[in-house]
Every structure is written in C-alpha cells, then in structure tokens.
Amino acid sequence: MFRTFMRKLFSKTVQPLRNTAEAEPPEPRYKLGSGYYYVFEEVPNGYRGYRMTDVYLMKTDDPTFHRCLVDGNGRIRNFPGIREGEWKKELEYPCDDKVRFAFRIGEYKDGKAYVSWTLQPDGRYFEDEDGFGAENCEEICLYSYLDEDGKFTKPFSDKT
C-alpha cells in the first residue's frame, strides 16, 4: 500500500484536473445589468496605485458590440467634456481626459449607467502603511452617464 501511494505520488504522468475543451467560457466579471458588462486592463498609475486602461463596454448577447470607453493610454474616448465648478480650486493634478486614478461604471438602470471618475484621490491615497507620504489634498470625483450605445450623455460634473 505504501509503495502504491509513493508510486502515484512520484509518477511522471500528470492527470488534468478537468477537461478544458468542454469547459464553459468564464462569465463576464463586471456585469452591468441589462445584458451589458465591461472589461479592462489594470496598469500602474505612477502614484503607487493602479488605473484602468482598455476599458470596453460589451454586450452578452451581441459579440460584435464593443465600445472603447478608455483607450490603452488611459484617455477617455468620445470625451463629453467637463462642467466647471468650485471643485477646480482644490485640484492639484492635471485636468484633462486621462484616467489616472479610479474609473467606475455602475449598473444600467432606465437605459443609462452611472460613471464615476476620480480626478484626484484623498491625500491618504499616497501614504504608506505607516502613514508616511500623505498629501493634503481633497478627493475630487466627477460623474456622467453612459447610454446603451456606450456614449456619454452629459459632460462630467461634480453633481449627478
């Protein structure tokens, strides 16, 4: 019995864990409801964090539908512009069409999905585990909506 166990343990034959040819493709991880989902790449942002690039809106039932929302350089495609406000007085980072920090898409409701874009994170974003490196800056998030064709419905603003 011991010899049989040792032979199996050290044999060179590797058994697959499952038949991968019959495996179902993975479900979209970032479901938005109404048959939509999005995919993206996560890359370092140069501020000790990560940002999203290559963000694509996809449809579960239409494999030909894919809309680029953020390109490989982090630029928001079909950028709807920015509505100015008091928030600009607190801004310490560039204000352009580039994603440097968080970019999130909410679920579709009534034909539109909520989009949140962080232009500037809270100063604690920059601190290490000991609290060193924190900056004195306010979080600035701007918001817009996507329609079901993947187009922004209004300029980004600090109000929803």
Side-chain angles (χ1 to χ4, degrees):
M1 182 178 216
F2 181 72
R3 282 185 180 175
T4 305
F5 173 75
M6 294 303 283
R7 239 180 305 164
K8 285 183 180 178
L9 183 62
F10 293 105
S11 71
K12 293 186 180 191
T13 307
V14 177
Q15 297 293 326
L17 295 176
R18 66 175 205 256
N19 186 349
T20 55
E22 296 174 11
E24 291 287 320
E27 284 283 320
R29 289 181 59 188
Y30 308 98
K31 293 181 181 180
L32 300 174
S34 301
Y36 292 90
Y37 66 99
Y38 70 102
V39 296
F40 63 90
E41 295 291 322
E42 204 167 43
V43 298
N45 66 2
Y47 300 100
R48 294 186 291 180
Y50 292 89
R51 66 186 173 108
M52 293 167 59
T53 62
D54 294 316
V55 181
Y56 284 89
L57 179 67
M58 315 286 272
K59 265 185 164 178
T60 309
D61 61 349
D62 183 0
T64 64
F65 181 91
H66 59 281
R67 300 290 185 267
C68 182
L69 304 177
V70 178
D71 68 19
N73 294 317
R75 300 232 178 255
I76 298 173
R77 287 281 191 91
N78 300 310
F79 188 64
I82 295 175
R83 187 166 291 132
E84 301 293 325
E86 291 295 312
W87 57 267
K88 197 143 188 190
K89 293 176 185 175
E90 300 291 329
L91 188 64
E92 298 178 25
Y93 290 87
C95 184
D96 53 20
D97 63 350
K98 193 167 185 176
V99 173
R100 290 178 177 81
F101 303 103
F103 184 86
R104 295 182 181 91
I105 306 169
E107 287 188 16
Y108 271 95
K109 293 181 183 170
D110 300 323
K112 59 184 181 178
Y114 181 76
V115 179
S116 169
W117 172 35
T118 303
L119 279 179
Q120 175 174 291
D122 179 272
R124 293 175 294 171
Y125 177 90
F126 304 98
E127 70 184 25
D128 64 14
E129 59 276 353
D130 296 323
F132 180 76
E135 294 187 14
N136 188 22
C137 57
E138 294 292 320
E139 182 175 72
I140 299 173
C141 291
L142 300 181
Y143 310 96
S144 186
Y145 290 94
L146 281 175
D147 66 15
E148 290 183 337
D149 198 35
K151 295 179 182 168
F152 293 98
T153 62
K154 68 178 196 112
F156 281 94
S157 71
D158 59 340
K159 297 183 177 39
T160 57

mmCIF file of all heavy atoms in Angstrom, residues 3-49:
data_model
loop_
_atom_site.group_PDB
_atom_site.id
_atom_site.type_symbol
_atom_site.label_atom_id
_atom_site.label_comp_id
_atom_site.label_asym_id
_atom_site.label_seq_id
_atom_site.Cartn_x
_atom_site.Cartn_y
_atom_site.Cartn_z
ATOM 1 N N ARG A 3 3.943 1.457 -1.071
ATOM 2 C CA ARG A 3 4.616 1.543 -2.375
ATOM 3 C C ARG A 3 3.670 2.097 -3.443
ATOM 4 O O ARG A 3 4.068 2.908 -4.272
ATOM 5 C CB ARG A 3 5.114 0.166 -2.803
ATOM 6 C CG ARG A 3 6.352 -0.241 -2.119
ATOM 7 C CD ARG A 3 6.837 -1.535 -2.691
ATOM 8 N NE ARG A 3 8.059 -1.922 -2.012
ATOM 9 C CZ ARG A 3 8.669 -3.027 -2.212
ATOM 10 N NH1 ARG A 3 8.191 -3.902 -3.074
ATOM 11 N NH2 ARG A 3 9.776 -3.296 -1.576
ATOM 12 N N THR A 4 2.443 1.687 -3.419
ATOM 13 C CA THR A 4 1.462 2.177 -4.391
ATOM 14 C C THR A 4 1.266 3.686 -4.222
ATOM 15 O O THR A 4 1.237 4.431 -5.196
ATOM 16 C CB THR A 4 0.110 1.451 -4.206
ATOM 17 O OG1 THR A 4 0.328 0.058 -4.278
ATOM 18 C CG2 THR A 4 -0.885 1.874 -5.258
ATOM 19 N N PHE A 5 1.139 4.107 -2.981
ATOM 20 C CA PHE A 5 0.984 5.529 -2.686
ATOM 21 C C PHE A 5 2.196 6.314 -3.200
ATOM 22 O O PHE A 5 2.052 7.357 -3.836
ATOM 23 C CB PHE A 5 0.798 5.729 -1.174
ATOM 24 C CG PHE A 5 0.806 7.185 -0.777
ATOM 25 C CD1 PHE A 5 -0.278 7.998 -1.038
ATOM 26 C CD2 PHE A 5 1.925 7.732 -0.156
ATOM 27 C CE1 PHE A 5 -0.259 9.333 -0.681
ATOM 28 C CE2 PHE A 5 1.948 9.063 0.202
ATOM 29 C CZ PHE A 5 0.853 9.872 -0.062
ATOM 30 N N MET A 6 3.397 5.835 -2.932
ATOM 31 C CA MET A 6 4.616 6.532 -3.353
ATOM 32 C C MET A 6 4.737 6.558 -4.871
ATOM 33 O O MET A 6 5.163 7.565 -5.442
ATOM 34 C CB MET A 6 5.853 5.872 -2.729
ATOM 35 C CG MET A 6 5.915 6.017 -1.205
ATOM 36 S SD MET A 6 5.867 7.721 -0.659
ATOM 37 C CE MET A 6 7.531 8.202 -1.008
ATOM 38 N N ARG A 7 4.361 5.481 -5.530
ATOM 39 C CA ARG A 7 4.408 5.447 -6.990
ATOM 40 C C ARG A 7 3.468 6.487 -7.593
ATOM 41 O O ARG A 7 3.823 7.190 -8.526
ATOM 42 C CB ARG A 7 4.027 4.057 -7.495
ATOM 43 C CG ARG A 7 5.129 3.432 -8.313
ATOM 44 C CD ARG A 7 4.763 2.092 -8.809
ATOM 45 N NE ARG A 7 4.383 1.329 -7.615
ATOM 46 C CZ ARG A 7 3.719 0.201 -7.598
ATOM 47 N NH1 ARG A 7 3.352 -0.346 -8.688
ATOM 48 N NH2 ARG A 7 3.407 -0.401 -6.493
ATOM 49 N N LYS A 8 2.273 6.588 -7.042
ATOM 50 C CA LYS A 8 1.318 7.579 -7.545
ATOM 51 C C LYS A 8 1.797 8.999 -7.262
ATOM 52 O O LYS A 8 1.635 9.892 -8.067
ATOM 53 C CB LYS A 8 -0.053 7.355 -6.915
ATOM 54 C CG LYS A 8 -0.782 6.164 -7.481
ATOM 55 C CD LYS A 8 -2.152 6.048 -6.857
ATOM 56 C CE LYS A 8 -2.862 4.847 -7.443
ATOM 57 N NZ LYS A 8 -4.187 4.662 -6.835
ATOM 58 N N LEU A 9 2.372 9.165 -6.109
ATOM 59 C CA LEU A 9 2.842 10.489 -5.711
ATOM 60 C C LEU A 9 3.979 10.980 -6.600
ATOM 61 O O LEU A 9 4.035 12.134 -6.993
ATOM 62 C CB LEU A 9 3.287 10.472 -4.243
ATOM 63 C CG LEU A 9 3.730 11.809 -3.656
ATOM 64 C CD1 LEU A 9 2.584 12.800 -3.685
ATOM 65 C CD2 LEU A 9 4.245 11.609 -2.247
ATOM 66 N N PHE A 10 4.895 10.084 -6.952
ATOM 67 C CA PHE A 10 6.071 10.482 -7.720
ATOM 68 C C PHE A 10 6.029 10.055 -9.186
ATOM 69 O O PHE A 10 7.035 10.129 -9.873
ATOM 70 C CB PHE A 10 7.337 9.934 -7.052
ATOM 71 C CG PHE A 10 7.596 10.582 -5.723
ATOM 72 C CD1 PHE A 10 7.348 9.894 -4.540
ATOM 73 C CD2 PHE A 10 8.057 11.878 -5.649
ATOM 74 C CE1 PHE A 10 7.572 10.485 -3.315
ATOM 75 C CE2 PHE A 10 8.277 12.486 -4.428
ATOM 76 C CZ PHE A 10 8.034 11.791 -3.244
ATOM 77 N N SER A 11 4.891 9.630 -9.675
ATOM 78 C CA SER A 11 4.811 9.231 -11.083
ATOM 79 C C SER A 11 4.893 10.470 -11.969
ATOM 80 O O SER A 11 4.550 11.580 -11.563
ATOM 81 C CB SER A 11 3.511 8.478 -11.354
ATOM 82 O OG SER A 11 2.423 9.362 -11.299
ATOM 83 N N LYS A 12 5.347 10.279 -13.203
ATOM 84 C CA LYS A 12 5.522 11.393 -14.126
ATOM 85 C C LYS A 12 4.269 11.665 -14.934
ATOM 86 O O LYS A 12 4.204 12.618 -15.680
ATOM 87 C CB LYS A 12 6.698 11.121 -15.052
ATOM 88 C CG LYS A 12 8.008 11.112 -14.308
ATOM 89 C CD LYS A 12 9.148 11.001 -15.246
ATOM 90 C CE LYS A 12 10.428 11.003 -14.422
ATOM 91 N NZ LYS A 12 11.590 11.150 -15.219
ATOM 92 N N THR A 13 3.263 10.839 -14.800
ATOM 93 C CA THR A 13 2.025 11.050 -15.518
ATOM 94 C C THR A 13 1.193 12.101 -14.785
ATOM 95 O O THR A 13 0.919 11.968 -13.607
ATOM 96 C CB THR A 13 1.212 9.737 -15.603
ATOM 97 O OG1 THR A 13 2.046 8.729 -16.147
ATOM 98 C CG2 THR A 13 -0.030 9.925 -16.446
ATOM 99 N N VAL A 14 0.837 13.135 -15.500
ATOM 100 C CA VAL A 14 0.051 14.207 -14.907
ATOM 101 C C VAL A 14 -1.369 14.110 -15.450
ATOM 102 O O VAL A 14 -1.579 14.106 -16.651
ATOM 103 C CB VAL A 14 0.651 15.593 -15.250
ATOM 104 C CG1 VAL A 14 -0.201 16.706 -14.696
ATOM 105 C CG2 VAL A 14 2.076 15.673 -14.754
ATOM 106 N N GLN A 15 -2.311 14.015 -14.560
ATOM 107 C CA GLN A 15 -3.710 13.956 -14.950
ATOM 108 C C GLN A 15 -4.290 15.359 -14.952
ATOM 109 O O GLN A 15 -4.089 16.108 -14.001
ATOM 110 C CB GLN A 15 -4.496 13.080 -13.957
ATOM 111 C CG GLN A 15 -4.053 11.643 -13.937
ATOM 112 C CD GLN A 15 -4.357 10.940 -15.240
ATOM 113 O OE1 GLN A 15 -5.358 11.225 -15.880
ATOM 114 N NE2 GLN A 15 -3.486 10.036 -15.648
ATOM 115 N N PRO A 16 -5.003 15.745 -16.007
ATOM 116 C CA PRO A 16 -5.625 17.074 -15.992
ATOM 117 C C PRO A 16 -6.706 17.136 -14.915
ATOM 118 O O PRO A 16 -7.352 16.145 -14.623
ATOM 119 C CB PRO A 16 -6.220 17.220 -17.388
ATOM 120 C CG PRO A 16 -6.361 15.836 -17.901
ATOM 121 C CD PRO A 16 -5.290 15.020 -17.219
ATOM 122 N N LEU A 17 -6.873 18.304 -14.355
ATOM 123 C CA LEU A 17 -7.882 18.480 -13.324
ATOM 124 C C LEU A 17 -9.291 18.420 -13.903
ATOM 125 O O LEU A 17 -10.213 17.968 -13.265
ATOM 126 C CB LEU A 17 -7.687 19.815 -12.607
ATOM 127 C CG LEU A 17 -6.392 19.942 -11.821
ATOM 128 C CD1 LEU A 17 -6.278 21.339 -11.247
ATOM 129 C CD2 LEU A 17 -6.360 18.912 -10.704
ATOM 130 N N ARG A 18 -9.448 18.893 -15.139
ATOM 131 C CA ARG A 18 -10.745 18.813 -15.795
ATOM 132 C C ARG A 18 -10.521 18.867 -17.291
ATOM 133 O O ARG A 18 -9.455 19.256 -17.767
ATOM 134 C CB ARG A 18 -11.650 19.943 -15.343
ATOM 135 C CG ARG A 18 -11.180 21.294 -15.761
ATOM 136 C CD ARG A 18 -12.199 22.363 -15.382
ATOM 137 N NE ARG A 18 -12.042 23.488 -16.253
ATOM 138 C CZ ARG A 18 -11.454 24.629 -15.920
ATOM 139 N NH1 ARG A 18 -10.999 24.798 -14.741
ATOM 140 N NH2 ARG A 18 -11.325 25.597 -16.785
ATOM 141 N N ASN A 19 -11.497 18.510 -18.029
ATOM 142 C CA ASN A 19 -11.407 18.554 -19.478
ATOM 143 C C ASN A 19 -11.631 19.996 -19.926
ATOM 144 O O ASN A 19 -12.754 20.486 -19.956
ATOM 145 C CB ASN A 19 -12.458 17.622 -20.092
ATOM 146 C CG ASN A 19 -12.311 17.528 -21.601
ATOM 147 O OD1 ASN A 19 -11.569 18.305 -22.198
ATOM 148 N ND2 ASN A 19 -12.998 16.589 -22.199
ATOM 149 N N THR A 20 -10.557 20.685 -20.282
ATOM 150 C CA THR A 20 -10.662 22.101 -20.629
ATOM 151 C C THR A 20 -11.369 22.323 -21.959
ATOM 152 O O THR A 20 -11.904 23.402 -22.188
ATOM 153 C CB THR A 20 -9.272 22.759 -20.675
ATOM 154 O OG1 THR A 20 -8.451 22.028 -21.579
ATOM 155 C CG2 THR A 20 -8.646 22.803 -19.302
ATOM 156 N N ALA A 21 -11.387 21.346 -22.841
ATOM 157 C CA ALA A 21 -12.069 21.506 -24.121
ATOM 158 C C ALA A 21 -13.571 21.651 -23.919
ATOM 159 O O ALA A 21 -14.249 22.296 -24.704
ATOM 160 C CB ALA A 21 -11.767 20.314 -25.029
ATOM 161 N N GLU A 22 -14.100 21.066 -22.869
ATOM 162 C CA GLU A 22 -15.533 21.134 -22.619
ATOM 163 C C GLU A 22 -15.903 22.229 -21.635
ATOM 164 O O GLU A 22 -17.077 22.424 -21.339
ATOM 165 C CB GLU A 22 -16.015 19.785 -22.063
ATOM 166 C CG GLU A 22 -15.846 18.647 -23.048
ATOM 167 C CD GLU A 22 -16.194 17.307 -22.424
ATOM 168 O OE1 GLU A 22 -16.763 17.293 -21.318
ATOM 169 O OE2 GLU A 22 -15.892 16.296 -23.048
ATOM 170 N N ALA A 23 -14.922 22.961 -21.133
ATOM 171 C CA ALA A 23 -15.198 23.984 -20.130
ATOM 172 C C ALA A 23 -15.938 25.156 -20.751
ATOM 173 O O ALA A 23 -15.679 25.547 -21.883
ATOM 174 C CB ALA A 23 -13.897 24.469 -19.500
ATOM 175 N N GLU A 24 -16.867 25.719 -20.017
ATOM 176 C CA GLU A 24 -17.605 26.905 -20.445
ATOM 177 C C GLU A 24 -16.696 28.121 -20.330
ATOM 178 O O GLU A 24 -15.868 28.195 -19.431
ATOM 179 C CB GLU A 24 -18.824 27.103 -19.537
ATOM 180 C CG GLU A 24 -19.886 26.046 -19.702
ATOM 181 C CD GLU A 24 -20.649 26.207 -20.990
ATOM 182 O OE1 GLU A 24 -20.950 27.354 -21.376
ATOM 183 O OE2 GLU A 24 -20.928 25.183 -21.623
ATOM 184 N N PRO A 25 -16.831 29.081 -21.228
ATOM 185 C CA PRO A 25 -16.046 30.305 -21.049
ATOM 186 C C PRO A 25 -16.489 30.999 -19.764
ATOM 187 O O PRO A 25 -17.624 30.858 -19.335
ATOM 188 C CB PRO A 25 -16.400 31.141 -22.286
ATOM 189 C CG PRO A 25 -17.658 30.567 -22.816
ATOM 190 C CD PRO A 25 -17.700 29.141 -22.375
ATOM 191 N N PRO A 26 -15.587 31.735 -19.135
ATOM 192 C CA PRO A 26 -15.952 32.385 -17.875
ATOM 193 C C PRO A 26 -17.037 33.440 -18.080
ATOM 194 O O PRO A 26 -17.121 34.054 -19.130
ATOM 195 C CB PRO A 26 -14.643 33.020 -17.407
ATOM 196 C CG PRO A 26 -13.813 33.136 -18.626
ATOM 197 C CD PRO A 26 -14.235 32.025 -19.554
ATOM 198 N N GLU A 27 -17.853 33.614 -17.077
ATOM 199 C CA GLU A 27 -18.884 34.648 -17.094
ATOM 200 C C GLU A 27 -18.197 36.010 -17.027
ATOM 201 O O GLU A 27 -17.157 36.141 -16.382
ATOM 202 C CB GLU A 27 -19.799 34.495 -15.875
ATOM 203 C CG GLU A 27 -20.781 33.369 -15.995
ATOM 204 C CD GLU A 27 -21.944 33.722 -16.903
ATOM 205 O OE1 GLU A 27 -22.454 34.849 -16.864
ATOM 206 O OE2 GLU A 27 -22.321 32.836 -17.677
ATOM 207 N N PRO A 28 -18.776 37.019 -17.664
ATOM 208 C CA PRO A 28 -18.199 38.356 -17.505
ATOM 209 C C PRO A 28 -18.166 38.734 -16.031
ATOM 210 O O PRO A 28 -19.146 38.561 -15.321
ATOM 211 C CB PRO A 28 -19.164 39.253 -18.275
ATOM 212 C CG PRO A 28 -19.877 38.336 -19.206
ATOM 213 C CD PRO A 28 -19.921 37.001 -18.542
ATOM 214 N N ARG A 29 -17.048 39.237 -15.562
ATOM 215 C CA ARG A 29 -16.894 39.539 -14.139
ATOM 216 C C ARG A 29 -17.495 40.874 -13.745
ATOM 217 O O ARG A 29 -17.829 41.079 -12.610
ATOM 218 C CB ARG A 29 -15.421 39.529 -13.773
ATOM 219 C CG ARG A 29 -14.841 38.140 -13.779
ATOM 220 C CD ARG A 29 -13.414 38.122 -13.388
ATOM 221 N NE ARG A 29 -13.247 38.690 -12.056
ATOM 222 C CZ ARG A 29 -12.073 38.942 -11.517
ATOM 223 N NH1 ARG A 29 -10.980 38.676 -12.182
ATOM 224 N NH2 ARG A 29 -11.977 39.449 -10.314
ATOM 225 N N TYR A 30 -17.612 41.796 -14.659
ATOM 226 C CA TYR A 30 -18.062 43.134 -14.320
ATOM 227 C C TYR A 30 -19.406 43.405 -14.982
ATOM 228 O O TYR A 30 -19.520 44.214 -15.889
ATOM 229 C CB TYR A 30 -16.998 44.162 -14.703
ATOM 230 C CG TYR A 30 -15.672 43.776 -14.120
ATOM 231 C CD1 TYR A 30 -14.722 43.103 -14.872
ATOM 232 C CD2 TYR A 30 -15.402 44.014 -12.779
ATOM 233 C CE1 TYR A 30 -13.527 42.703 -14.316
ATOM 234 C CE2 TYR A 30 -14.210 43.608 -12.211
ATOM 235 C CZ TYR A 30 -13.276 42.958 -12.990
ATOM 236 O OH TYR A 30 -12.095 42.555 -12.435
ATOM 237 N N LYS A 31 -20.408 42.694 -14.526
ATOM 238 C CA LYS A 31 -21.746 42.802 -15.086
ATOM 239 C C LYS A 31 -22.368 44.142 -14.733
ATOM 240 O O LYS A 31 -22.213 44.635 -13.622
ATOM 241 C CB LYS A 31 -22.624 41.672 -14.553
ATOM 242 C CG LYS A 31 -22.201 40.306 -15.028
ATOM 243 C CD LYS A 31 -23.118 39.243 -14.478
ATOM 244 C CE LYS A 31 -22.671 37.875 -14.930
ATOM 245 N NZ LYS A 31 -23.538 36.814 -14.425
ATOM 246 N N LEU A 32 -23.086 44.702 -15.715
ATOM 247 C CA LEU A 32 -23.732 45.991 -15.526
ATOM 248 C C LEU A 32 -25.253 45.886 -15.603
ATOM 249 O O LEU A 32 -25.937 46.892 -15.540
ATOM 250 C CB LEU A 32 -23.240 46.990 -16.584
ATOM 251 C CG LEU A 32 -21.745 47.269 -16.581
ATOM 252 C CD1 LEU A 32 -21.374 48.141 -17.766
ATOM 253 C CD2 LEU A 32 -21.342 47.939 -15.283
ATOM 254 N N GLY A 33 -25.760 44.683 -15.774
ATOM 255 C CA GLY A 33 -27.200 44.505 -15.928
ATOM 256 C C GLY A 33 -27.638 44.784 -17.355
ATOM 257 O O GLY A 33 -26.884 45.297 -18.173
ATOM 258 N N SER A 34 -28.865 44.414 -17.663
ATOM 259 C CA SER A 34 -29.460 44.624 -18.993
ATOM 260 C C SER A 34 -28.627 44.003 -20.113
ATOM 261 O O SER A 34 -28.661 44.466 -21.248
ATOM 262 C CB SER A 34 -29.664 46.120 -19.273
ATOM 263 O OG SER A 34 -30.502 46.691 -18.304
ATOM 264 N N GLY A 35 -27.837 42.968 -19.798
ATOM 265 C CA GLY A 35 -27.038 42.278 -20.807
ATOM 266 C C GLY A 35 -25.708 42.947 -21.124
ATOM 267 O O GLY A 35 -25.040 42.572 -22.083
ATOM 268 N N TYR A 36 -25.299 43.921 -20.353
ATOM 269 C CA TYR A 36 -24.036 44.630 -20.575
ATOM 270 C C TYR A 36 -23.004 44.227 -19.523
ATOM 271 O O TYR A 36 -23.335 43.862 -18.407
ATOM 272 C CB TYR A 36 -24.229 46.142 -20.493
ATOM 273 C CG TYR A 36 -25.040 46.700 -21.624
ATOM 274 C CD1 TYR A 36 -26.423 46.791 -21.517
ATOM 275 C CD2 TYR A 36 -24.439 47.131 -22.797
ATOM 276 C CE1 TYR A 36 -27.188 47.294 -22.555
ATOM 277 C CE2 TYR A 36 -25.186 47.632 -23.832
ATOM 278 C CZ TYR A 36 -26.559 47.712 -23.710
ATOM 279 O OH TYR A 36 -27.307 48.211 -24.739
ATOM 280 N N TYR A 37 -21.741 44.334 -19.909
ATOM 281 C CA TYR A 37 -20.623 44.148 -18.986
ATOM 282 C C TYR A 37 -19.437 44.940 -19.527
ATOM 283 O O TYR A 37 -19.478 45.437 -20.657
ATOM 284 C CB TYR A 37 -20.275 42.676 -18.795
ATOM 285 C CG TYR A 37 -19.729 41.969 -20.010
ATOM 286 C CD1 TYR A 37 -18.361 41.779 -20.186
ATOM 287 C CD2 TYR A 37 -20.579 41.453 -20.989
ATOM 288 C CE1 TYR A 37 -17.853 41.107 -21.286
ATOM 289 C CE2 TYR A 37 -20.080 40.778 -22.091
ATOM 290 C CZ TYR A 37 -18.728 40.615 -22.236
ATOM 291 O OH TYR A 37 -18.221 39.954 -23.323
ATOM 292 N N TYR A 38 -18.416 45.098 -18.703
ATOM 293 C CA TYR A 38 -17.223 45.763 -19.206
ATOM 294 C C TYR A 38 -15.973 44.987 -18.815
ATOM 295 O O TYR A 38 -15.971 44.241 -17.848
ATOM 296 C CB TYR A 38 -17.143 47.232 -18.787
ATOM 297 C CG TYR A 38 -16.881 47.509 -17.323
ATOM 298 C CD1 TYR A 38 -15.610 47.871 -16.885
ATOM 299 C CD2 TYR A 38 -17.900 47.456 -16.380
ATOM 300 C CE1 TYR A 38 -15.363 48.166 -15.552
ATOM 301 C CE2 TYR A 38 -17.669 47.749 -15.057
ATOM 302 C CZ TYR A 38 -16.406 48.103 -14.645
ATOM 303 O OH TYR A 38 -16.172 48.388 -13.332
ATOM 304 N N VAL A 39 -14.950 45.158 -19.630
ATOM 305 C CA VAL A 39 -13.648 44.535 -19.410
ATOM 306 C C VAL A 39 -12.606 45.649 -19.426
ATOM 307 O O VAL A 39 -12.841 46.717 -19.993
ATOM 308 C CB VAL A 39 -13.324 43.468 -20.481
ATOM 309 C CG1 VAL A 39 -14.305 42.313 -20.419
ATOM 310 C CG2 VAL A 39 -13.313 44.083 -21.876
ATOM 311 N N PHE A 40 -11.466 45.395 -18.796
ATOM 312 C CA PHE A 40 -10.421 46.410 -18.755
ATOM 313 C C PHE A 40 -9.100 45.777 -18.372
ATOM 314 O O PHE A 40 -9.037 44.653 -17.917
ATOM 315 C CB PHE A 40 -10.777 47.528 -17.760
ATOM 316 C CG PHE A 40 -10.884 47.067 -16.330
ATOM 317 C CD1 PHE A 40 -9.788 47.069 -15.494
ATOM 318 C CD2 PHE A 40 -12.102 46.635 -15.832
ATOM 319 C CE1 PHE A 40 -9.889 46.648 -14.176
ATOM 320 C CE2 PHE A 40 -12.219 46.219 -14.513
ATOM 321 C CZ PHE A 40 -11.103 46.223 -13.686
ATOM 322 N N GLU A 41 -8.040 46.534 -18.553
ATOM 323 C CA GLU A 41 -6.705 46.192 -18.082
ATOM 324 C C GLU A 41 -6.406 47.110 -16.906
ATOM 325 O O GLU A 41 -6.878 48.244 -16.869
ATOM 326 C CB GLU A 41 -5.654 46.425 -19.174
ATOM 327 C CG GLU A 41 -5.800 45.521 -20.372
ATOM 328 C CD GLU A 41 -5.482 44.076 -20.062
ATOM 329 O OE1 GLU A 41 -4.548 43.819 -19.275
ATOM 330 O OE2 GLU A 41 -6.176 43.207 -20.603
ATOM 331 N N GLU A 42 -5.619 46.629 -15.978
ATOM 332 C CA GLU A 42 -5.206 47.447 -14.846
ATOM 333 C C GLU A 42 -3.695 47.602 -14.924
ATOM 334 O O GLU A 42 -2.970 46.617 -14.977
ATOM 335 C CB GLU A 42 -5.621 46.772 -13.545
ATOM 336 C CG GLU A 42 -5.771 47.721 -12.410
ATOM 337 C CD GLU A 42 -6.487 47.085 -11.223
ATOM 338 O OE1 GLU A 42 -6.177 45.927 -10.888
ATOM 339 O OE2 GLU A 42 -7.350 47.753 -10.649
ATOM 340 N N VAL A 43 -3.226 48.861 -14.929
ATOM 341 C CA VAL A 43 -1.802 49.145 -15.064
ATOM 342 C C VAL A 43 -1.370 50.121 -13.966
ATOM 343 O O VAL A 43 -2.190 50.872 -13.442
ATOM 344 C CB VAL A 43 -1.473 49.732 -16.459
ATOM 345 C CG1 VAL A 43 -1.823 48.743 -17.573
ATOM 346 C CG2 VAL A 43 -2.182 51.049 -16.684
ATOM 347 N N PRO A 44 -0.079 50.137 -13.621
ATOM 348 C CA PRO A 44 0.399 51.096 -12.615
ATOM 349 C C PRO A 44 0.134 52.531 -13.075
ATOM 350 O O PRO A 44 0.235 52.846 -14.254
ATOM 351 C CB PRO A 44 1.901 50.822 -12.539
ATOM 352 C CG PRO A 44 2.069 49.423 -13.043
ATOM 353 C CD PRO A 44 0.993 49.230 -14.072
ATOM 354 N N ASN A 45 -0.208 53.396 -12.118
ATOM 355 C CA ASN A 45 -0.526 54.779 -12.470
ATOM 356 C C ASN A 45 0.606 55.765 -12.181
ATOM 357 O O ASN A 45 0.462 56.956 -12.416
ATOM 358 C CB ASN A 45 -1.804 55.231 -11.762
ATOM 359 C CG ASN A 45 -1.675 55.313 -10.260
ATOM 360 O OD1 ASN A 45 -0.622 55.066 -9.679
ATOM 361 N ND2 ASN A 45 -2.778 55.649 -9.608
ATOM 362 N N GLY A 46 1.721 55.288 -11.636
ATOM 363 C CA GLY A 46 2.825 56.184 -11.336
ATOM 364 C C GLY A 46 2.701 56.884 -9.992
ATOM 365 O O GLY A 46 3.553 57.677 -9.620
ATOM 366 N N TYR A 47 1.616 56.596 -9.272
ATOM 367 C CA TYR A 47 1.386 57.192 -7.954
ATOM 368 C C TYR A 47 1.253 56.088 -6.897
ATOM 369 O O TYR A 47 0.497 56.211 -5.957
ATOM 370 C CB TYR A 47 0.106 58.034 -7.959
ATOM 371 C CG TYR A 47 0.120 59.163 -8.941
ATOM 372 C CD1 TYR A 47 -0.529 59.052 -10.166
ATOM 373 C CD2 TYR A 47 0.780 60.350 -8.653
ATOM 374 C CE1 TYR A 47 -0.532 60.098 -11.075
ATOM 375 C CE2 TYR A 47 0.791 61.398 -9.563
ATOM 376 C CZ TYR A 47 0.133 61.263 -10.773
ATOM 377 O OH TYR A 47 0.137 62.302 -11.669
ATOM 378 N N ARG A 48 1.933 54.988 -7.091
ATOM 379 C CA ARG A 48 1.896 53.822 -6.201
ATOM 380 C C ARG A 48 0.541 53.138 -6.184
ATOM 381 O O ARG A 48 0.156 52.510 -5.214
ATOM 382 C CB ARG A 48 2.331 54.178 -4.785
ATOM 383 C CG ARG A 48 3.779 54.580 -4.698
ATOM 384 C CD ARG A 48 4.217 54.778 -3.292
ATOM 385 N NE ARG A 48 3.573 55.971 -2.756
ATOM 386 C CZ ARG A 48 3.747 56.416 -1.541
ATOM 387 N NH1 ARG A 48 4.508 55.783 -0.712
ATOM 388 N NH2 ARG A 48 3.154 57.509 -1.137
ATOM 389 N N GLY A 49 -0.202 53.282 -7.242
ATOM 390 C CA GLY A 49 -1.513 52.653 -7.357
ATOM 391 C C GLY A 49 -1.720 52.143 -8.772
ATOM 392 O O GLY A 49 -0.769 51.997 -9.535
#
